[in-house]
Amino acid sequence: MIELFRTNDQNVEKTIEITENTWIKLTAPTKEEIKEISSALDLELDDISAATDPEEKTRVEFRDDYVLIIADIPVKRIYHKKENYKTIPIGIIITQDNVVTICSQDTPILTEFSNNQVRGFSTKKRIKFFYQILLNTSLLYQEALTAIEKRRTAFEEHIENADDELDLISLHGLESALVYITTSLRGNINVLNRISRSNRFLQYPEDKELLYDVITENHQAIEMAQIYREIIDGTRELVSSIMNSRLNNVMKRLTSITVLLSIPMVISGMYGMNVDQEWMPLARAVHGFGLIGIITIIICAVLMIILKRKKML
């Protein structure tokens, strides 16, 4: 889908043709739409379609007439019926007169601009627009990290009931999301570092200040991701310890039950042997069977009391 926007007196307006200072927003573009924009702005097809590849790496490419930036942004996904996060690439092409954004799906990062919700946004200030996109990306990463931490906290509050496989899979999903986010944030930092060394992006003092804010927020997001990842590693180890403790308790109880059951089996086995009755206690007694049964029960009861005192049952 192709959408065209221009700012007029600080208001974002849709337009139907590409003119100077136009923002071309491509969302999940088709091959025909990519060819159309490539022909209209004299851009390479591969540069436009690069951001639609989910495996595309973050990078900055300086062409003769434009600059291509590939960064990663967080998006929501459903993982085993629960909301989680992953990262996808977003492409930003800055030409002499226009800005082109390419993404495989709609994202609130760009929606805020098209809905006129970003203060100071102007399609005329292309470098500032680019920095604002990266700043919103860093803030969205922080929101995603906060949401992940809330889910981990909720899981930890009910960790004593975490015996369902879905709970463990959900925890693994949060850990995987943190890995994706951390990797993408580091890739974005590399992009920002290269941009900060290029004079093509530092035209005005306010752009330098905005770039500094972007780098600061990105570093803060990386620190948050690292801290939350360490915490979630501790939570996973805690779950593993709880599971091992439960398994040990079950094995201990089963062992105790086996010991209790072995007593009547041993006694009945002895009396079931084909030997002379003269040598078997109570073999000729009138109530011998009942007495042996009572003795067996008493022995089992005494052993059960001992095992309970030792917390084996």
Side-chain angles (χ1 to χ4, degrees), residues 193-210:
N193 289 336
R194 186 174 183 189
I195 288 172
S196 64
R197 295 191 296 265
S198 174
N199 293 328
R200 296 178 68 172
F201 287 90
L202 302 175
Q203 297 182 353
Y204 303 101
E206 62 176 347
D207 292 342
K208 294 182 180 181
E209 184 177 351
L210 187 56

Side-chain angles (χ1 to χ4, degrees), residues 3 26 35 50 70 82 85 101 104 110 125 136 157 183 214 216 239 254 257 260-261 273 284 292-293 303 311:
E3 295 178 286
L26 300 179
K35 290 180 181 179
I70 302 292
K82 291 188 178 182
Y85 290 89
T101 60
S104 59
L110 300 178
K125 300 178 180 179
N136 282 6
E157 290 176 353
T183 303
V214 174
T216 301
V239 172
L254 289 176
I257 293 172
L260 288 173
L261 293 177
M273 296 173 65
R284 297 175 180 228
I292 293 172
L303 182 58
K311 297 182 179 180

Side-chain angles (χ1 to χ4, degrees), residues 81-292:
K81 300 181 181 180
K82 291 188 178 182
E83 188 177 274
N84 208 333
Y85 290 89
K86 67 175 182 178
T87 59
I88 61 172
I90 182 174
I92 305 168
I93 298 177
I94 303 175
T95 69
Q96 296 294 329
D97 301 316
N98 307 103
V99 175
V100 183
T101 60
I102 313 102
C103 193
S104 59
Q105 68 183 68
D106 200 13
T107 168
I109 295 173
L110 300 178
T111 303
E112 291 182 357
F113 290 98
S114 59
N115 292 341
N116 201 25
Q117 296 175 343
V118 179
R119 185 177 179 182
F121 166 53
S122 174
T123 55
K124 298 177 182 179
K125 300 178 180 179
R126 292 178 293 279
I127 303 300
K128 182 180 179 180
F129 178 27
F130 163 65
Y131 290 155
Q132 287 174 321
I133 291 176
L134 294 185
L135 180 60
N136 282 6
T137 299
S138 299
L139 296 177
L140 189 60
Y141 270 117
Q142 294 180 22
E143 291 179 9
L145 290 169
T146 302
I148 290 174
E149 174 61 14
K150 287 181 178 179
R151 285 190 54 192
R152 186 206 64 81
T153 303
F155 175 84
E156 194 174 69
E157 290 176 353
H158 302 87
I159 199 169
E160 66 275 4
N161 300 322
D163 54 357
D164 193 346
E165 290 183 356
L166 290 178
D167 292 329
L168 300 179
I169 292 174
S170 176
L171 184 63
H172 174 71
L174 296 180
E175 190 174 13
S176 299
L178 286 174
V179 172
Y180 289 129
I181 289 176
T182 302
T183 303
S184 296
L185 284 170
R186 287 174 178 168
N188 288 355
I189 275 291
N190 293 334
V191 170
L192 291 170
N193 289 336
R194 186 174 183 189
I195 288 172
S196 64
R197 295 191 296 265
S198 174
N199 293 328
R200 296 178 68 172
F201 287 90
L202 302 175
Q203 297 182 353
Y204 303 101
E206 62 176 347
D207 292 342
K208 294 182 180 181
E209 184 177 351
L210 187 56
L211 177 58
Y212 176 79
D213 291 340
V214 174
I215 294 176
T216 301
E217 293 294 340
N218 212 78
H219 277 296
Q220 183 176 348
I222 290 178
E223 292 177 1
M224 290 174 62
Q226 291 174 342
I227 292 172
Y228 292 160
R229 189 175 177 184
E230 292 175 0
I231 294 174
I232 210 167
D233 284 342
T235 303
R236 180 169 48 80
E237 292 177 1
L238 177 60
V239 172
S240 179
S241 299
I242 290 175
M243 294 298 180
N244 289 336
S245 177
R246 290 176 180 173
L247 179 60
N248 291 337
N249 291 333
V250 171
M251 295 302 296
K252 187 166 57 176
R253 289 188 177 92
L254 289 176
T255 302
S256 300
I257 293 172
T258 302
V259 172
L260 288 173
L261 293 177
S262 65
I263 294 174
M265 292 177 62
V266 170
I267 294 175
S268 61
M270 291 175 59
Y271 278 89
M273 296 173 65
N274 189 18
V275 296
D276 193 346
Q277 293 181 356
E278 181 180 354
W279 302 102
M280 299 302 297
L282 303 175
R284 297 175 180 228
V286 178
H287 302 289
F289 179 80
L291 292 173
I292 293 172

Side-chain angles (χ1 to χ4, degrees), residues 2 26 29-46 48-49:
I2 301 177
L26 300 179
T30 62
K31 292 182 179 180
E32 291 72 19
E33 291 172 338
I34 291 175
K35 290 180 181 179
E36 178 183 345
I37 298 301
S38 173
S39 177
L41 300 179
D42 194 21
L43 306 175
E44 294 184 16
L45 288 173
D46 291 341
I48 300 177
S49 60

